[in-house]
Amino acid sequence: LAIALGGAMVELLDDSALRVLPVSRADVATAITELRGYRLLTGFRGSKPADLDSVVNTVLRVTAVAESLGDGVESVEINPLLVAGDRVEALDALITRS
């Protein structure tokens, strides 16, 4: 599991957190807080804070899908995952079979 803020932030700041599946709720929540850009999700400079519980729930649902697809799957990617306050929405998804 790779969690990142996405786009240029990943490349510019080398900012991602990695975990091996299966993951727990605590694993995902901790991974999010490890991001260098984490403060952007917490209401930085007056922006609306992200609903981190919803983000964690969404990541856990995606990992459940990935695990349910079995060994024939190389990757499951949600990119981008829109996070705006309490709105968490997968805008694009890609499943790659091996």
Side-chain angles (χ1 to χ4, degrees), residues 2 4-7 10-11 16 20 24 28 30 38 51 54 57 63 71 75 78 81 85 89-90 93 96 98:
L5 291 181
V10 173
E11 297 170 26
S16 62
V20 175
S24 68
V28 174
T30 299
Y38 170 70
D51 180 346
S54 291
N57 288 338
T63 63
D71 293 337
S75 66
I78 305 297
L81 179 68
E89 183 178 352
T96 305
S98 50

Side-chain angles (χ1 to χ4, degrees), residues 3-66:
I3 297 176
L5 291 181
M9 296 296 279
V10 173
E11 297 170 26
L12 182 65
L13 300 177
D14 190 25
D15 191 17
S16 62
L18 303 174
R19 297 292 187 275
V20 175
L21 296 182
V23 291
S24 68
R25 172 174 289 284
D27 293 331
V28 174
T30 299
I32 292 169
T33 65
E34 291 173 358
L35 296 173
R36 289 185 180 126
Y38 170 70
R39 287 182 54 208
L40 293 171
L41 299 171
T42 64
F44 184 72
R45 289 192 167 192
S47 65
K48 188 173 182 181
D51 180 346
L52 294 176
D53 284 336
S54 291
V55 174
V56 170
N57 288 338
T58 301
V59 171
L60 288 172
R61 286 187 200 116
V62 171
T63 63
V65 168

